[in-house]
Coordinates of all heavy atoms in Angstrom, one line a residue:
M146 N -60.4 -33.2 -37.7 CA -59.4 -32.6 -38.5 C -59.8 -31.1 -38.8 O -60.9 -30.9 -39.3 CB -59.1 -33.4 -39.8 CG -58.0 -32.8 -40.6 SD -57.7 -33.7 -42.1 CE -57.2 -35.3 -41.5
A147 N -58.9 -30.2 -38.5 CA -59.2 -28.8 -38.8 C -59.2 -28.5 -40.3 O -58.5 -29.1 -41.1 CB -58.2 -27.9 -38.1
R148 N -60.1 -27.6 -40.7 CA -60.2 -27.2 -42.1 C -59.1 -26.2 -42.3 O -58.8 -25.3 -41.5 CB -61.5 -26.6 -42.4 CG -62.6 -27.7 -42.3 CD -63.7 -27.4 -43.3 NE -64.6 -28.5 -43.5 CZ -64.4 -29.5 -44.3 NH1 -63.4 -29.5 -45.1 NH2 -65.3 -30.4 -44.4
S149 N -58.6 -26.2 -43.5 CA -57.6 -25.2 -43.9 C -58.3 -24.0 -44.6 O -59.3 -24.2 -45.2 CB -56.5 -25.8 -44.7 OG -57.0 -26.2 -46.0
T150 N -57.6 -22.9 -44.6 CA -58.1 -21.8 -45.4 C -57.0 -21.1 -46.1 O -55.8 -21.2 -45.7 CB -58.8 -20.7 -44.4 OG1 -57.8 -20.3 -43.5 CG2 -60.0 -21.3 -43.7
G151 N -57.3 -20.5 -47.2 CA -56.2 -19.8 -47.9 C -56.8 -19.3 -49.2 O -57.8 -19.6 -49.6
T152 N -56.0 -18.4 -49.8 CA -56.5 -17.7 -51.0 C -55.8 -18.1 -52.2 O -56.2 -17.8 -53.3 CB -56.4 -16.2 -50.8 OG1 -55.1 -15.8 -50.6 CG2 -57.3 -15.7 -49.7
M153 N -54.7 -18.8 -52.1 CA -53.9 -19.3 -53.3 C -54.5 -20.6 -53.8 O -54.9 -21.4 -53.1 CB -52.4 -19.5 -52.9 CG -51.7 -18.2 -52.6 SD -50.0 -18.4 -52.4 CE -49.4 -18.2 -54.1
S154 N -54.5 -20.7 -55.2 CA -54.9 -21.9 -55.8 C -53.6 -22.7 -56.1 O -52.5 -22.2 -56.0 CB -55.6 -21.6 -57.1 OG -54.7 -21.0 -58.1
L155 N -53.8 -23.9 -56.6 CA -52.7 -24.8 -57.0 C -52.0 -24.1 -58.2 O -50.8 -24.1 -58.3 CB -53.2 -26.2 -57.4 CG -53.6 -27.0 -56.2 CD1 -54.2 -28.4 -56.7 CD2 -52.5 -27.3 -55.2
G156 N -52.8 -23.5 -59.1 CA -52.2 -22.8 -60.2 C -51.3 -21.6 -59.7 O -50.2 -21.4 -60.3
D157 N -51.7 -20.9 -58.7 CA -50.9 -19.9 -58.1 C -49.6 -20.4 -57.5 O -48.5 -19.8 -57.7 CB -51.6 -19.1 -57.0 CG -52.8 -18.3 -57.5 OD1 -52.9 -17.9 -58.6 OD2 -53.8 -18.2 -56.6
L158 N -49.7 -21.6 -56.9 CA -48.5 -22.2 -56.3 C -47.5 -22.6 -57.4 O -46.3 -22.5 -57.2 CB -48.9 -23.4 -55.4 CG -49.7 -23.1 -54.2 CD1 -50.1 -24.3 -53.4 CD2 -48.9 -22.1 -53.3
I159 N -48.0 -23.0 -58.5 CA -47.1 -23.4 -59.7 C -46.5 -22.1 -60.2 O -45.3 -22.0 -60.4 CB -47.9 -24.1 -60.8 CG1 -48.3 -25.5 -60.3 CG2 -47.1 -24.2 -62.0 CD1 -49.3 -26.2 -61.2
E160 N -47.3 -21.1 -60.4 CA -46.8 -19.8 -60.9 C -45.7 -19.2 -60.0 O -44.8 -18.6 -60.5 CB -48.0 -18.8 -61.0 CG -47.7 -17.5 -61.6 CD -48.9 -16.6 -61.8 OE1 -49.9 -17.1 -62.1 OE2 -48.7 -15.4 -61.5
H161 N -45.9 -19.3 -58.7 CA -44.9 -18.8 -57.8 C -43.7 -19.7 -57.5 O -42.9 -19.5 -56.7 CB -45.6 -18.4 -56.5 CG -46.4 -17.2 -56.6 ND1 -47.8 -17.3 -56.9 CD2 -46.2 -15.9 -56.5 CE1 -48.3 -16.1 -56.9 NE2 -47.3 -15.2 -56.7
G162 N -43.7 -20.9 -58.2 CA -42.6 -21.8 -58.1 C -42.5 -22.7 -56.9 O -41.6 -23.4 -56.6
R163 N -43.6 -22.7 -56.1 CA -43.7 -23.6 -54.9 C -44.0 -25.0 -55.3 O -43.5 -26.0 -54.6 CB -44.7 -23.1 -53.9 CG -44.4 -21.8 -53.4 CD -45.3 -21.4 -52.2 NE -45.4 -20.0 -52.1 CZ -46.3 -19.3 -51.4 NH1 -47.2 -20.0 -50.7 NH2 -46.3 -18.0 -51.3
L164 N -44.7 -25.2 -56.4 CA -45.0 -26.5 -56.9 C -44.6 -26.5 -58.4 O -44.5 -25.4 -59.0 CB -46.5 -26.9 -56.8 CG -47.0 -27.1 -55.3 CD1 -48.5 -27.3 -55.3 CD2 -46.3 -28.2 -54.6
V165 N -44.5 -27.7 -59.0 CA -44.1 -27.7 -60.4 C -45.1 -28.6 -61.2 O -45.7 -29.5 -60.6 CB -42.7 -28.3 -60.6 CG1 -41.6 -27.4 -59.9 CG2 -42.5 -29.7 -60.0
P166 N -45.3 -28.3 -62.4 CA -46.2 -29.1 -63.3 C -45.6 -30.6 -63.2 O -44.4 -30.8 -63.2 CB -46.0 -28.5 -64.7 CG -45.6 -27.1 -64.4 CD -44.8 -27.2 -63.2
R167 N -46.5 -31.5 -63.2 CA -46.2 -33.0 -63.2 C -45.8 -33.4 -61.8 O -45.2 -34.5 -61.6 CB -45.2 -33.4 -64.3 CG -45.5 -32.9 -65.7 CD -46.7 -33.5 -66.4 NE -46.6 -35.0 -66.5 CZ -47.6 -35.8 -66.7 NH1 -48.8 -35.3 -66.8 NH2 -47.5 -37.1 -66.8
E168 N -46.0 -32.5 -60.8 CA -45.7 -32.9 -59.4 C -46.5 -34.1 -58.9 O -47.7 -34.1 -59.2 CB -46.0 -31.7 -58.5 CG -45.6 -31.8 -57.1 CD -44.2 -31.2 -56.8 OE1 -44.0 -30.0 -57.0 OE2 -43.3 -32.0 -56.5
Q169 N -45.8 -35.0 -58.3 CA -46.5 -36.1 -57.7 C -47.1 -35.7 -56.4 O -46.5 -35.0 -55.6 CB -45.5 -37.3 -57.4 CG -46.2 -38.5 -56.8 CD -45.2 -39.5 -56.3 OE1 -44.0 -39.4 -56.4 NE2 -45.7 -40.6 -55.8
L170 N -48.4 -36.1 -56.2 CA -49.1 -35.9 -55.0 C -49.5 -37.2 -54.5 O -49.7 -38.2 -55.2 CB -50.3 -35.0 -55.2 CG -50.1 -33.6 -55.9 CD1 -51.4 -33.0 -56.2 CD2 -49.2 -32.8 -55.0
V171 N -49.7 -37.3 -53.1 CA -50.0 -38.6 -52.6 C -50.9 -38.4 -51.3 O -50.7 -37.5 -50.6 CB -48.8 -39.5 -52.2 CG1 -48.0 -38.8 -51.1 CG2 -49.1 -40.9 -51.8
I172 N -51.9 -39.3 -51.2 CA -52.7 -39.4 -50.0 C -52.3 -40.7 -49.3 O -52.4 -41.8 -49.9 CB -54.2 -39.4 -50.2 CG1 -54.6 -38.1 -50.8 CG2 -55.0 -39.7 -48.9 CD1 -56.1 -38.0 -51.2
R173 N -51.8 -40.6 -48.1 CA -51.4 -41.8 -47.3 C -52.6 -42.2 -46.4 O -53.3 -41.4 -45.9 CB -50.2 -41.6 -46.5 CG -49.0 -41.1 -47.3 CD -47.7 -41.6 -46.8 NE -46.6 -41.0 -47.6 CZ -46.2 -41.5 -48.7 NH1 -46.7 -42.6 -49.2 NH2 -45.1 -41.0 -49.4
R174 N -52.8 -43.6 -46.3 CA -53.9 -44.1 -45.5 C -53.3 -45.2 -44.6 O -52.4 -45.9 -45.0 CB -55.0 -44.7 -46.4 CG -55.5 -43.6 -47.4 CD -56.5 -44.2 -48.4 NE -55.9 -45.2 -49.3 CZ -56.6 -46.1 -50.0 NH1 -57.9 -46.0 -50.0 NH2 -56.0 -46.9 -50.8
R175 N -53.9 -45.3 -43.5 CA -53.5 -46.4 -42.6 C -54.0 -47.8 -43.1 O -55.1 -47.9 -43.6 CB -54.2 -46.3 -41.2 CG -53.6 -45.2 -40.4 CD -54.2 -45.2 -39.0 NE -54.0 -43.8 -38.4 CZ -54.8 -43.2 -37.7 NH1 -56.0 -43.7 -37.4 NH2 -54.6 -42.0 -37.3
N176 N -53.1 -48.7 -43.1 CA -53.4 -50.1 -43.5 C -53.9 -50.2 -45.0 O -54.6 -51.2 -45.3 CB -54.3 -50.7 -42.5 CG -53.8 -50.7 -41.1 OD1 -52.6 -50.9 -40.9 ND2 -54.7 -50.4 -40.2
K177 N -53.7 -49.2 -45.8 CA -54.2 -49.3 -47.2 C -53.1 -48.7 -48.0 O -52.3 -47.8 -47.6 CB -55.5 -48.5 -47.4 CG -56.7 -49.2 -46.7 CD -57.9 -48.4 -47.0 CE -59.1 -49.1 -46.3 NZ -60.3 -48.4 -46.7
P178 N -53.0 -49.1 -49.3 CA -52.0 -48.5 -50.2 C -52.2 -47.0 -50.4 O -53.4 -46.5 -50.3 CB -52.2 -49.2 -51.5 CG -53.1 -50.4 -51.2 CD -53.8 -50.1 -50.0
P179 N -51.2 -46.2 -50.6 CA -51.4 -44.8 -50.8 C -52.1 -44.5 -52.2 O -52.1 -45.4 -53.0 CB -49.9 -44.3 -50.9 CG -49.1 -45.4 -51.2 CD -49.8 -46.6 -50.7
I180 N -52.7 -43.4 -52.3 CA -53.3 -43.0 -53.5 C -52.5 -41.9 -54.2 O -52.1 -40.9 -53.5 CB -54.7 -42.4 -53.2 CG1 -55.6 -43.5 -52.5 CG2 -55.4 -41.8 -54.5 CD1 -56.9 -42.9 -51.9
D181 N -52.1 -42.1 -55.4 CA -51.3 -41.2 -56.1 C -52.1 -40.3 -57.1 O -53.0 -40.7 -57.7 CB -50.2 -41.9 -57.0 CG -49.2 -42.7 -56.1 OD1 -48.8 -42.1 -55.1 OD2 -48.9 -43.8 -56.5
G182 N -51.7 -39.0 -57.1 CA -52.3 -38.0 -58.0 C -51.1 -37.3 -58.7 O -50.0 -37.4 -58.3
L183 N -51.5 -36.6 -59.7 CA -50.5 -35.9 -60.5 C -51.0 -34.4 -60.7 O -52.1 -34.2 -61.2 CB -50.3 -36.5 -61.9 CG -49.1 -36.0 -62.7 CD1 -47.8 -36.3 -62.0 CD2 -49.2 -36.7 -64.1
L184 N -50.2 -33.5 -60.4 CA -50.5 -32.1 -60.5 C -50.2 -31.7 -62.0 O -49.1 -31.8 -62.5 CB -49.7 -31.2 -59.6 CG -50.0 -29.7 -59.6 CD1 -51.4 -29.4 -59.2 CD2 -49.0 -29.0 -58.7
R185 N -51.2 -31.1 -62.6 CA -51.1 -30.7 -64.0 C -50.7 -29.2 -64.1 O -50.8 -28.5 -63.1 CB -52.4 -30.9 -64.8 CG -52.8 -32.4 -64.8 CD -54.2 -32.6 -65.2 NE -54.6 -31.9 -66.4 CZ -55.2 -32.4 -67.5 NH1 -55.4 -33.7 -67.5 NH2 -55.6 -31.7 -68.5
K186 N -50.1 -28.8 -65.2 CA -49.6 -27.5 -65.3 C -50.7 -26.4 -65.2 O -50.4 -25.2 -64.8 CB -48.9 -27.3 -66.7 CG -49.7 -27.3 -67.9 CD -48.9 -27.1 -69.1 CE -49.8 -27.2 -70.4 NZ -49.0 -27.1 -71.6
D187 N -52.0 -26.7 -65.3 CA -53.0 -25.7 -65.1 C -53.5 -25.7 -63.7 O -54.4 -25.0 -63.4 CB -54.2 -26.0 -66.1 CG -54.9 -27.3 -65.8 OD1 -54.5 -28.1 -64.9 OD2 -55.9 -27.6 -66.5
G188 N -52.9 -26.5 -62.8 CA -53.3 -26.5 -61.4 C -54.3 -27.5 -61.1 O -54.7 -27.6 -59.9
S189 N -54.8 -28.3 -62.0 CA -55.7 -29.4 -61.7 C -55.0 -30.6 -61.3 O -53.8 -30.7 -61.4 CB -56.6 -29.7 -62.9 OG -55.9 -30.1 -64.0
I190 N -55.7 -31.6 -60.7 CA -55.1 -32.8 -60.2 C -55.7 -34.0 -61.1 O -56.9 -34.2 -61.2 CB -55.4 -33.1 -58.8 CG1 -54.7 -32.0 -57.9 CG2 -54.9 -34.5 -58.3 CD1 -55.1 -32.1 -56.4
E191 N -54.8 -34.8 -61.6 CA -55.1 -35.9 -62.4 C -55.1 -37.1 -61.5 O -54.1 -37.4 -60.8 CB -54.1 -36.1 -63.5 CG -54.4 -37.1 -64.6 CD -53.3 -37.1 -65.6 OE1 -53.0 -36.0 -66.2 OE2 -52.8 -38.1 -65.9
L192 N -56.2 -37.9 -61.5 CA -56.3 -39.1 -60.7 C -56.9 -40.2 -61.6 O -58.1 -40.2 -61.9 CB -57.3 -38.8 -59.6 CG -57.5 -39.8 -58.5 CD1 -56.2 -40.0 -57.7 CD2 -58.6 -39.3 -57.5
G193 N -55.9 -41.0 -62.1 CA -56.3 -42.0 -63.1 C -56.7 -41.3 -64.4 O -56.0 -40.4 -64.9
D194 N -57.9 -41.6 -64.8 CA -58.5 -40.9 -66.0 C -59.3 -39.7 -65.7 O -59.7 -39.0 -66.7 CB -59.4 -41.9 -66.8 CG -58.6 -43.1 -67.4 OD1 -57.4 -42.9 -67.7 OD2 -59.2 -44.1 -67.6
D195 N -59.4 -39.3 -64.5 CA -60.2 -38.2 -64.1 C -59.3 -37.0 -63.7 O -58.2 -37.1 -63.3 CB -61.1 -38.5 -62.8 CG -62.1 -39.6 -63.1 OD1 -62.7 -39.6 -64.2 OD2 -62.2 -40.5 -62.2
V196 N -59.9 -35.8 -64.0 CA -59.2 -34.6 -63.7 C -60.1 -33.7 -62.8 O -61.3 -33.5 -63.1 CB -58.8 -33.8 -65.0 CG1 -58.2 -32.5 -64.7 CG2 -57.9 -34.7 -65.9
F197 N -59.5 -33.1 -61.7 CA -60.2 -32.3 -60.8 C -59.7 -31.0 -60.6 O -58.4 -30.8 -60.7 CB -60.2 -33.0 -59.4 CG -60.8 -34.4 -59.4 CD1 -60.1 -35.5 -59.7 CD2 -62.2 -34.6 -59.2 CE1 -60.6 -36.8 -59.8 CE2 -62.8 -35.8 -59.3 CZ -62.0 -36.9 -59.6
T198 N -60.5 -30.0 -60.5 CA -60.0 -28.6 -60.4 C -59.6 -28.1 -59.0 O -59.0 -27.1 -58.9 CB -61.1 -27.6 -61.0 OG1 -62.3 -27.7 -60.2 CG2 -61.4 -27.9 -62.4
T199 N -60.0 -28.9 -58.0 CA -59.6 -28.6 -56.6 C -59.0 -29.8 -55.9 O -59.4 -31.0 -56.2 CB -60.8 -28.1 -55.8 OG1 -61.7 -29.1 -55.6 CG2 -61.4 -26.9 -56.5
P200 N -58.1 -29.6 -54.9 CA -57.6 -30.7 -54.1 C -58.7 -31.4 -53.4 O -58.7 -32.7 -53.2 CB -56.6 -30.1 -53.2 CG -56.3 -28.7 -53.7 CD -57.5 -28.3 -54.5
T201 N -59.7 -30.7 -52.9 CA -60.8 -31.3 -52.2 C -61.6 -32.2 -53.0 O -62.0 -33.4 -52.6 CB -61.7 -30.3 -51.5 OG1 -60.8 -29.6 -50.5 CG2 -62.9 -30.8 -50.8
A202 N -62.0 -31.8 -54.2 CA -62.8 -32.7 -55.1 C -62.0 -33.9 -55.5 O -62.6 -35.0 -55.5 CB -63.1 -31.9 -56.4
A203 N -60.7 -33.8 -55.7 CA -59.9 -35.0 -56.0 C -59.8 -35.9 -54.8 O -59.9 -37.1 -54.9 CB -58.5 -34.5 -56.4
A204 N -59.6 -35.4 -53.6 CA -59.5 -36.2 -52.4 C -60.9 -36.9 -52.1 O -60.9 -38.1 -51.7 CB -59.1 -35.3 -51.2
K205 N -62.0 -36.2 -52.3 CA -63.3 -36.8 -52.0 C -63.5 -38.0 -52.9 O -64.0 -39.0 -52.4 CB -64.4 -35.8 -52.2 CG -64.5 -34.7 -51.1 CD -65.4 -33.6 -51.4 CE -66.8 -33.9 -51.6 NZ -67.7 -32.7 -51.7
T206 N -63.1 -37.9 -54.2 CA -63.3 -39.0 -55.1 C -62.3 -40.1 -54.8 O -62.7 -41.3 -54.7 CB -63.1 -38.5 -56.5 OG1 -64.1 -37.6 -56.9 CG2 -63.1 -39.7 -57.5
A207 N -61.0 -39.7 -54.5 CA -60.0 -40.7 -54.2 C -60.3 -41.6 -53.0 O -60.1 -42.8 -52.9 CB -58.7 -40.1 -54.0
L208 N -60.9 -40.9 -51.9 CA -61.2 -41.6 -50.7 C -62.6 -42.1 -50.6 O -63.0 -42.7 -49.6 CB -60.9 -40.6 -49.5 CG -59.4 -40.2 -49.4 CD1 -59.3 -39.0 -48.4 CD2 -58.6 -41.4 -48.9
D209 N -63.4 -41.7 -51.6 CA -64.8 -42.1 -51.6 C -65.6 -41.7 -50.4 O -66.2 -42.5 -49.7 CB -65.0 -43.6 -51.9 CG -66.4 -44.0 -52.2 OD1 -67.1 -43.1 -52.8 OD2 -66.8 -45.2 -52.0
V210 N -65.4 -40.4 -50.0 CA -66.1 -39.8 -48.9 C -66.8 -38.6 -49.3 O -66.6 -38.0 -50.3 CB -65.0 -39.5 -47.8 CG1 -64.4 -40.7 -47.2 CG2 -64.0 -38.4 -48.2
G211 N -67.7 -38.1 -48.4 CA -68.5 -36.9 -48.7 C -67.9 -35.7 -48.3 O -68.2 -34.6 -48.9
S212 N -67.0 -35.7 -47.3 CA -66.4 -34.5 -46.8 C -64.9 -34.8 -46.4 O -64.6 -35.7 -45.7 CB -67.2 -34.0 -45.6 OG -66.6 -32.9 -45.1
V213 N -64.0 -33.9 -47.0 CA -62.6 -34.0 -46.6 C -61.9 -32.7 -47.1 O -62.4 -32.1 -48.0 CB -61.9 -35.3 -47.3 CG1 -61.9 -35.1 -48.8 CG2 -60.5 -35.5 -46.8
D214 N -60.9 -32.3 -46.4 CA -60.1 -31.2 -46.8 C -58.9 -31.7 -47.6 O -58.0 -32.2 -47.1 CB -59.7 -30.4 -45.6 CG -59.1 -29.0 -46.0 OD1 -58.5 -28.9 -47.1 OD2 -59.1 -28.1 -45.2
G215 N -59.0 -31.5 -48.9 CA -58.0 -32.0 -49.8 C -56.6 -31.3 -49.6 O -55.6 -31.9 -49.8
W216 N -56.7 -30.0 -49.2 CA -55.4 -29.3 -48.9 C -54.7 -29.9 -47.8 O -53.4 -29.9 -47.7 CB -55.7 -27.8 -48.5 CG -56.2 -27.0 -49.7 CD1 -57.4 -26.8 -50.2 CD2 -55.3 -26.4 -50.6 NE1 -57.4 -26.0 -51.3 CE2 -56.1 -25.8 -51.6 CE3 -53.9 -26.3 -50.8 CZ2 -55.6 -25.0 -52.7 CZ3 -53.4 -25.5 -51.8 CH2 -54.2 -24.9 -52.8
L217 N -55.4 -30.6 -46.8 CA -54.7 -31.3 -45.7 C -54.4 -32.7 -46.0 O -53.5 -33.3 -45.4 CB -55.6 -31.2 -44.5 CG -55.8 -29.8 -43.9 CD1 -56.8 -29.8 -42.8 CD2 -54.5 -29.2 -43.4
R218 N -55.1 -33.4 -46.9 CA -54.9 -34.8 -47.2 C -53.8 -35.0 -48.3 O -53.0 -36.0 -48.2 CB -56.2 -35.5 -47.7 CG -57.2 -35.6 -46.6 CD -56.7 -36.3 -45.3 NE -56.1 -37.6 -45.6 CZ -56.7 -38.8 -45.4 NH1 -57.9 -38.9 -45.1 NH2 -56.0 -39.9 -45.7
W219 N -53.7 -34.2 -49.3 CA -52.7 -34.4 -50.4 C -51.3 -33.9 -49.8 O -51.2 -32.9 -49.3 CB -53.0 -33.6 -51.6 CG -54.2 -34.2 -52.4 CD1 -55.4 -33.7 -52.5 CD2 -54.2 -35.4 -53.2 NE1 -56.2 -34.5 -53.3 CE2 -55.4 -35.6 -53.7 CE3 -53.2 -36.4 -53.5 CZ2 -55.8 -36.6 -54.5 CZ3 -53.6 -37.5 -54.3 CH2 -54.8 -37.6 -54.8
R220 N -50.3 -34.8 -50.0 CA -49.0 -34.5 -49.6 C -48.1 -34.4 -50.8 O -48.4 -35.0 -51.9 CB -48.5 -35.5 -48.6 CG -49.3 -35.4 -47.3 CD -48.8 -36.4 -46.3 NE -49.5 -36.2 -45.0 CZ -49.1 -35.3 -44.1 NH1 -48.0 -34.6 -44.2 NH2 -49.8 -35.1 -43.0
V221 N -46.9 -33.7 -50.7 CA -46.0 -33.5 -51.8 C -44.7 -34.3 -51.4 O -43.9 -33.8 -50.6 CB -45.7 -32.1 -52.0 CG1 -44.8 -31.9 -53.2 CG2 -47.0 -31.3 -52.2
P222 N -44.5 -35.5 -51.9 CA -43.3 -36.3 -51.6 C -42.0 -35.5 -51.8 O -41.1 -35.6 -51.0 CB -43.4 -37.5 -52.5 CG -44.8 -37.7 -52.8 CD -45.4 -36.2 -52.8
R223 N -41.9 -34.8 -52.9 CA -40.6 -34.0 -53.2 C -40.3 -33.0 -52.1 O -39.1 -32.7 -51.9 CB -40.8 -33.3 -54.5 CG -39.6 -32.5 -54.9 CD -39.8 -31.7 -56.2 NE -40.9 -30.8 -56.2 CZ -40.8 -29.5 -55.8 NH1 -39.6 -29.0 -55.4 NH2 -41.8 -28.7 -55.8
L224 N -41.3 -32.6 -51.4 CA -41.1 -31.6 -50.3 C -41.1 -32.3 -48.9 O -41.6 -31.6 -48.0 CB -42.1 -30.5 -50.4 CG -42.0 -29.7 -51.7 CD1 -43.1 -28.6 -51.8 CD2 -40.6 -29.1 -51.9
G225 N -40.7 -33.5 -48.8 CA -40.7 -34.2 -47.6 C -42.1 -34.6 -47.0 O -42.2 -34.8 -45.8
G226 N -43.1 -34.7 -47.9 CA -44.4 -35.1 -47.5 C -45.2 -34.0 -46.9 O -46.2 -34.3 -46.2
R227 N -44.8 -32.8 -47.1 CA -45.6 -31.6 -46.6 C -47.0 -31.6 -47.3 O -47.1 -32.0 -48.4 CB -44.9 -30.3 -46.9 CG -43.6 -30.3 -46.1 CD -42.8 -29.0 -46.5 NE -43.4 -27.9 -46.0 CZ -43.4 -26.7 -46.6 NH1 -42.8 -26.5 -47.7 NH2 -44.1 -25.6 -46.1
T228 N -48.0 -31.2 -46.6 CA -49.3 -31.1 -47.1 C -49.4 -29.9 -48.1 O -48.6 -29.0 -48.0 CB -50.4 -30.9 -46.1 OG1 -50.3 -29.6 -45.4 CG2 -50.4 -32.0 -45.0
L229 N -50.4 -29.9 -49.0 CA -50.6 -28.8 -49.8 C -50.9 -27.5 -49.0 O -50.5 -26.4 -49.4 CB -51.8 -29.0 -50.8 CG -51.5 -30.1 -51.9 CD1 -52.8 -30.3 -52.7 CD2 -50.4 -29.6 -52.8
A230 N -51.6 -27.6 -47.9 CA -51.9 -26.5 -47.0 C -50.6 -25.9 -46.5 O -50.4 -24.7 -46.5 CB -52.8 -26.9 -45.9
E231 N -49.6 -26.8 -46.1 CA -48.4 -26.3 -45.6 C -47.6 -25.5 -46.7 O -47.0 -24.5 -46.4 CB -47.5 -27.4 -45.0 CG -48.1 -28.0 -43.8 CD -47.4 -29.3 -43.3 OE1 -47.0 -30.1 -44.2 OE2 -47.2 -29.5 -42.1
V232 N -47.6 -26.1 -47.9 CA -46.9 -25.5 -49.0 C -47.5 -24.1 -49.3 O -46.8 -23.1 -49.5 CB -46.9 -26.4 -50.3 CG1 -46.3 -25.6 -51.5 CG2 -46.2 -27.7 -50.0
R233 N -48.8 -24.1 -49.3 CA -49.6 -22.8 -49.6 C -49.3 -21.8 -48.5 O -49.1 -20.6 -48.8 CB -51.1 -23.1 -49.7 CG -51.9 -21.9 -49.9 CD -53.4 -22.2 -49.6 NE -53.5 -22.5 -48.2 CZ -54.5 -23.3 -47.8 NH1 -55.4 -23.8 -48.6 NH2 -54.6 -23.6 -46.5
D234 N -49.3 -22.2 -47.3 CA -49.3 -21.2 -46.1 C -47.9 -20.8 -45.8 O -47.7 -19.8 -45.0 CB -50.0 -21.8 -44.9 CG -51.4 -22.1 -45.2 OD1 -52.0 -21.5 -46.1 OD2 -52.1 -22.9 -44.4
D235 N -46.9 -21.4 -46.3 CA -45.5 -21.1 -46.0 C -44.9 -20.0 -46.9 O -43.7 -19.8 -47.0 CB -44.6 -22.3 -46.1 CG -44.7 -23.2 -44.9 OD1 -45.3 -22.8 -43.9 OD2 -44.1 -24.3 -44.9
G236 N -45.8 -19.2 -47.5 CA -45.5 -18.1 -48.4 C -44.1 -17.6 -48.3 O -43.3 -17.2 -48.9

């Protein structure tokens, strides 16, 4: 899977109106239930009782892996399942 690059943060995406506070985020997995996250107004991601400052940190914990690009794994159901990377890069 290719790594994404970009300079905008989740907080920037909220500030520019591309995402909204309390936005539902989801990681879909084959043959396993999806993992739900919640975007907070400060741009962090709430995952159960834990809060993460980056999509990658949240995805690594959610998937229990050492390496993953959270910008590519988290999707936004309200926007047709687009990845955070797509939302960020569609300026």
Side-chain angles (χ1 to χ4, degrees):
M146 181 180 296
R148 292 212 170 271
S149 69
T150 58
T152 57
M153 293 187 86
S154 69
L155 290 175
D157 293 334
L158 294 176
I159 292 170
E160 184 178 320
H161 288 92
R163 295 188 206 168
L164 297 173
V165 296
R167 311 290 302 159
E168 185 91 64
Q169 179 189 4
L170 303 175
V171 66
I172 293 177
R173 302 214 184 279
R174 305 176 293 165
R175 288 187 200 140
N176 303 319
K177 292 184 180 181
I180 299 169
D181 293 318
L183 189 68
L184 182 62
R185 296 165 50 126
K186 67 180 177 180
D187 65 358
S189 60
I190 296 175
E191 190 175 310
L192 188 61
D194 292 333
D195 298 319
V196 177
F197 300 90
T198 59
T199 68
T201 295
K205 285 168 66 172
T206 296
L208 295 168
D209 194 25
V210 296
S212 179
V213 65
D214 188 333
W216 287 93
L217 295 173
R218 290 307 306 263
W219 288 108
R220 295 183 174 271
V221 185
R223 178 181 62 86
L224 299 177
R227 297 175 67 216
T228 67
L229 290 176
E231 290 170 325
V232 173
R233 178 195 63 208
D234 296 342
D235 281 353

